[in-house]
Amino acid sequence: MSHSTDDRRVLAEIERRLARDDPELCTLLATLIRQFPPGPEEPRPDGPRPAARTGRRRLRRRPAVILFALIAVLGLILTAILTAPSSPPPAEDSPSGTHSGSLLTPPGR
């Protein structure tokens, strides 16, 4: 978000008054800004983010992406295994006195 020159002037005046009225709060806020720098969409007071930091952030994303891909593949494999039709049970011996012929041969032969 870009500020107009009037907005910047007003914000600078507020900062000066705050620093004069409550120096402890001003020091605390400056410490917090150093510990938690603004995000990429917010302008940084000291200029754009160095390329080294951007590279480190990409290196941290790589393991997360790989882990997500492995979990997705494992999920697909488990889904395929669990939804596959089961094999028919093994054939049981028919009890005596029942049809002993093959299902494919007509009766009486």
Side-chain angles (χ1 to χ4, degrees):
M1 178 169 90
S2 178
H3 298 288
S4 69
T5 53
D6 290 336
D7 292 340
R8 289 181 187 170
R9 184 180 50 78
V10 170
L11 287 172
E13 180 62 30
I14 292 172
E15 275 187 56
R16 283 192 296 274
R17 286 184 185 175
L18 179 62
R20 185 185 67 218
D21 293 344
D22 195 352
E24 277 185 46
L25 179 62
C26 188
T27 304
L28 178 65
L29 289 175
T31 304
L32 287 173
I33 289 172
R34 281 193 302 272
Q35 287 179 351
F36 305 102
E41 67 278 346
E42 300 174 30
R44 293 174 51 94
D46 56 346
R49 177 168 286 183
R53 281 189 181 171
T54 306
R56 276 187 258 144
R57 188 171 27 159
R58 285 186 188 143
L59 289 177
R60 279 186 268 154
R61 276 190 209 154
R62 185 175 294 161
V65 169
I66 291 171
L67 179 65
F68 178 75
L70 287 175
I71 290 172
V73 168
L74 182 64
L76 288 173
I77 291 171
L78 286 175
T79 301
I81 290 172
L82 295 174
T83 59
S86 62
S87 60
E92 297 178 10
D93 292 334
S94 54
S96 61
T98 61
H99 179 69
S100 60
S102 169
L103 293 176
L104 298 176
T105 58
R109 283 194 178 189

